[in-house]
Each structure stands twice: as C-alpha cells, then as structure tokens.
Amino acid sequence: MIVVEARRVLAEARQSIQAGGPPPANIEALIVDRLASLVRPSLRRVINATGVILHTNLGRAPLPRCACPEGYSNLEYDLAAGRRGKRDVHIAPLIERLLGAPAIVVNNNAAAVWLSLNELAAGREVIISRGELIEIGDGFRIPEIMARSGAVLREVGTTNRTRIEDYSDAINDRTALLMRVHPSNFHLTGFTGKPDLHELAELAHQRGIPLYEDLGSGCLVNLHPYGVHEPLAADSLAAGVDLVSFSGDKLLGGPQSGFLAGRAEFVDRLRRNPMFRALRLDKLIYATLETTLRAVWLERFDEIPALRMIMAPAQEILERSERFLNAHPGIPGQLIEGQSLIGGGSTPDQSLPTWLIAIEGNAARLDRKLRAASPPVVARIEQDRLLIDLRTVAPDEEGTLAASLLAAVA
C-alpha cells in the first residue's frame, strides 16, 4: 500500500514539473498525508454555522438521533407471523396517519416522479403547465425525467398564466395524467395565474383522469406561524389530488428519500412496478425515517433538528449568541441582525430573522482554518466578515465551535 501511494505521488509530481510547475518541497510529507487521508473517513460530521438550515452541500436536513439496529434486523421479516414481510411496513402506519392515505417511499423525490410517470403514463400524454417545467437542481429537469419515464409531455398555457380551459382543451384519448408541479425553488410574480387545486381536481375527476402533484419540499407540519409558507401534503390530498410526491430530506427533516402517497389503487400499482425494487430504501434509511415520522406524528418537533431550527425565534438565537460570546471573551465577535435561510431548493425568497456573530478581519484566512478543524466548521463570509449563525449549530456543538474559533483567531 505504501509503495503504491508513493508511486502515485511521484507520478503526480513528475506531471506537475513537466507542466512547468515547481517541484514539491517534501515528497515524504505528501505521501504521509495521502496515506492519512485514506485511513480517515471521508464522510465526516461538520458543524454548520452558515445559518442555511437545509444546506445541500452539507447533506440537507441534519439527521435526528436514531438508534439504528446493529447486526441483523427484521427488515423484511414478520416476527408475529414467522414469515417473510415487506420492508415498508416500518413506516407505513405512521405516514398513513399523518396524511390519511397509504404511501410508499423510494430513494429520492426525482425517483418518485420518474416511477409515477413510468407506471401511470408510459406511452401516453401527461398534461402540465409550461410554467411548471422546472429544473430540480444539478441539471435535472422535469421534461427530461418525463421523457426518460416514457411519458409524452403535453405543455399547456404560458410561462406566467395557465387557465383551467387550457387543461380541458388538451385532454384527449391519449391523456393519462394531469400533473401539477409546485415550484419550490423559485417564485413567479407579477401578471401570473393558474387554476385552483380544487378546480383542477374537479376537472380531472369529471374526465376520469388521475391528478398527480409533485410537491418537492415535503411539508407535513404547518410552518406558517414560523414564516415558512409551503403547501401541506395533506391539504393537497384533501383537495382531491390522487397522488402526491415529495422529499423526505427537506422540510420533513429526515434522510434522503422520496414519498408517494394517495389513492390506494395507484400506490399499489407503483409498488408492483418492477423498478420499485431498484429504487427502494436501505435499512439505515428506513430506521432514520421511522424515527423522523414518529417524532412528527407525536409532535415532538424539538427531536427533528431541521424543524427545531425553523421554529426557533430570533430572540432565542440572540440569547444563545450573547451567552456564547460572554462565555468565550477571546472570540472578537459582535452581534448583528441578519437572516437565516431555509435552503435545499425550498421556500425561495423566504428567510428567518436571526442574529449573527460577526468577526472582523481576514475572513478568508479564518474560514480556511475553520474548515481544517476537527470537526470542520463551515461559516459565511460577507464584506470580509466571518459570520456565525447559531441557528444551525446544535447547543451541544457550541463548545467545539468555540474552541475552533479561538484557535483560528489566535
């Protein structure tokens, strides 16, 4: 192993010199660093001090504490009956009580969209407003997912306005679905309009066509009192939507996953689709998801870090920040008002008032030192000030954060 890594480092050094670069100062140290990086886990815990709650680069929703069973588990074994069972039974009772409808889960929301379209509309038309042909992120676009699923896209309306008549006029004998996509990562303002969800559901049911809505962010808890205005999945189902899909690692606050909930006949069809097995969840995700859903059902929102952060009032962040600076006078910070972001492609143009610890000076140097700490600390830089938002820092992480800050400013 040592010989292989030594040869790798020497080969890279030769390539650098041949390209006109300087020779490395210490080959031995480079080899030792390379070996150390291979021994150390690459996926590591990080302290998020940015104030972005659903930070896409930091794993989106911070995971709740979860007692994942070690060794073997009853993942697909019915202990009461003594025979093979199904893995989705571990979350099915909870999600059905939360939404009032059966559901299945796949490995992310893009997979949920693909599976829905493939099962319910392959080879047939799906009617969707032009204003909802969104890009989910990292280049993944709804029209391309639809094409890969085998469904045929039928655009109606315009970018800013779509009427119920546009949907009605487009329905023909090849129509398989009416589709509504919630634009969770952008807002259209000005001269805009679209049909009410009840109105769209009434049209779909009159014409005998299912209505499917992709909600994206997956809000199961009413967050309006906390300044977050996202549609609730249960409200969509109550309005007459036949099938909804949404993410588990955004406003639900759990691990990466994609939910599909709605009428039993459609959920059963999706479960029988051969690709459902390819998209299914691992036992670790099921364990974490079960913990998250049970906390939501019992309204123990403080046990779900993302929801706890969203619900924390600015006054609480101010008091925590004051105690933090008073306990660590060596940190040269001052308190300023600011905004926390929901992030993760959710709630565009919506932020939460907060208080920031601002540290003047060489912010780039401080940022590099914090990212090199153990565990790494990720903060914000604005106007050459390092900004720390304790909203996204767990209380039990404050001592570690303080030590890293003191070392960085020393």
Side-chain angles (χ1 to χ4, degrees), residues 60-122:
R60 284 202 180 135
L63 294 179
R65 295 187 184 277
C66 173
C68 296
E70 297 181 7
Y72 296 105
S73 68
N74 62 326
L75 178 65
E76 290 187 0
Y77 187 74
D78 187 329
L79 294 170
R83 60 173 181 264
R84 179 171 181 158
K86 294 184 180 298
R87 64 178 61 195
D88 54 351
V89 300
H90 301 293
I91 64 162
L94 293 167
I95 192 65
E96 187 162 355
R97 282 161 176 77
L98 285 166
L99 295 180
I104 58 172
V105 192
V106 290
N107 56 23
N108 63 18
N109 191 49
V113 172
W114 183 92
L115 184 64
S116 301
L117 296 172
N118 177 259
E119 175 58 37
L120 303 178

Side-chain angles (χ1 to χ4, degrees), residues 26 143 265 312 324 338 405:
N26 192 328
E265 61 185 279
F324 182 84
L405 281 172

Side-chain angles (χ1 to χ4, degrees), residues 302-355:
D302 60 323
E303 296 179 5
I304 304 175
L307 295 183
R308 183 179 67 237
M309 294 170 184
I310 290 172
M311 294 177 177
Q315 182 64 28
E316 178 184 319
I317 309 302
L318 172 61
E319 293 170 0
R320 282 183 61 195
S321 301
E322 289 175 336
R323 289 194 300 268
F324 182 84
L325 289 178
N326 290 335
H328 308 285
I331 298 175
Q334 58 176 335
L335 294 179
I336 61 173
E337 291 185 86
Q339 298 291 319
S340 302
L341 300 176
I342 305 298
S346 303
T347 63
D349 303 330
Q350 297 181 48
S351 57
L352 305 174
T354 192
W355 285 84

Side-chain angles (χ1 to χ4, degrees), residues 36-223:
S37 69
L38 292 170
V39 173
R40 183 176 61 243
S42 176
L43 188 63
R44 303 161 64 192
R45 175 174 152 258
V46 169
I47 295 178
N48 176 15
T50 65
V52 180
I53 297 171
L54 304 176
H55 200 305
T56 301
N57 303 131
L58 302 182
R60 284 202 180 135
L63 294 179
R65 295 187 184 277
C66 173
C68 296
E70 297 181 7
Y72 296 105
S73 68
N74 62 326
L75 178 65
E76 290 187 0
Y77 187 74
D78 187 329
L79 294 170
R83 60 173 181 264
R84 179 171 181 158
K86 294 184 180 298
R87 64 178 61 195
D88 54 351
V89 300
H90 301 293
I91 64 162
L94 293 167
I95 192 65
E96 187 162 355
R97 282 161 176 77
L98 285 166
L99 295 180
I104 58 172
V105 192
V106 290
N107 56 23
N108 63 18
N109 191 49
V113 172
W114 183 92
L115 184 64
S116 301
L117 296 172
N118 177 259
E119 175 58 37
L120 303 178
R124 300 179 65 195
E125 292 184 357
V126 176
I127 299 175
I128 184 173
S129 168
R130 284 187 174 87
E132 297 171 5
L133 296 175
I134 65 173
E135 181 174 314
I136 299 170
D138 198 26
F140 291 94
R141 298 174 172 177
I142 289 291
E144 294 171 359
I145 293 174
M146 294 178 74
R148 291 283 183 172
S149 73
V152 179
L153 171 65
R154 180 70 181 272
E155 303 175 32
V156 296
T158 63
T159 302
N160 59 320
R161 291 183 71 84
T162 303
R163 299 178 175 85
I164 192 68
E165 293 80 11
D166 295 322
Y167 291 92
S168 179
D169 294 344
I171 294 175
N172 59 67
D173 58 359
R174 299 183 302 279
T175 303
L177 276 180
L178 299 187
M179 185 175 180
R180 165 72 67 88
V181 178
H182 172 60
S184 57
N185 59 0
F186 74 97
H187 276 162
L188 276 177
T189 59
F191 186 59
T192 63
K194 63 182 180 180
D196 178 81
L197 202 53
H198 291 85
E199 191 178 13
L200 200 55
E202 184 178 356
L203 171 65
H205 298 158
Q206 285 176 352
R207 306 292 286 270
I209 300 168
L211 174 60
Y212 163 49
E213 184 178 27
D214 173 30
L215 287 167
S217 298
C219 195
L220 300 191
V221 178
N222 183 11
L223 298 175

